[in-house]
Amino acid sequence: VLSAMDAFPHSERVGGLGSLALANLVYKDDSNVEVMLERHGPGRIIRAMINLGGSVQVQAAGSWALAAIAGKNEDLREQALADGAADACEAAIARHGEHESEETTGSGTGVARNSRLALDRLQGIEPEEQGVTEDQCA
């Protein structure tokens, strides 16, 4: 997945699906956390969000993936912060904020919602602490 993201940095499918795959791999097996840290997985997600800033799908997938990995492991959270995750999520909200009204009805893209969740988790705030259930974040 990491190699594909490096080889095809301007592919929306690879950027979006690769971001989701990285988050899923971290949850599937804890040994993948070390690989993600060694190979700077959070940076690959952030790079996809930067390279494909106009893609709503990549922004939604990337911000969800950052929220997931930041909530999984403290070292991944710190690496994501150091690699610029907060800036990437804030840029996604700024660029795609017009979808916010659709998100509240459940038919939106999730960019703003996922980015806010990522920003909270990057600060160490879990959804339950805000009265939001995990089901609402998926």
Side-chain angles (χ1 to χ4, degrees), residues 53 64 66 76 89 115 124:
W64 181 87
L66 289 171
L76 284 171
C89 290
S115 293

Side-chain angles (χ1 to χ4, degrees), residues 34-35 38 62 83 128:
E34 289 304 315
V35 174
E38 291 170 8
D83 288 347
E128 297 81 32

Side-chain angles (χ1 to χ4, degrees), residues 93-113:
I93 292 170
R95 187 168 199 168
H96 300 286
E98 69 273 8
H99 299 290
E100 184 64 27
S101 62
E102 294 174 16
E103 288 176 16
T104 59
T105 66
S107 62
T109 62
V111 174
R113 180 189 61 236

Side-chain angles (χ1 to χ4, degrees), residues 34-54:
E34 289 304 315
V35 174
M36 283 277 284
L37 288 166
E38 291 170 8
R39 304 235 2 238
H40 283 269
R44 301 301 206 307
I45 296 167
I46 294 160
R47 191 173 318 128
M49 292 177 72
I50 292 168
N51 288 344
L52 300 160

Side-chain angles (χ1 to χ4, degrees), residues 21 71 78 114 125 135:
E78 290 176 9
N114 292 354
I125 301 169
D135 291 338

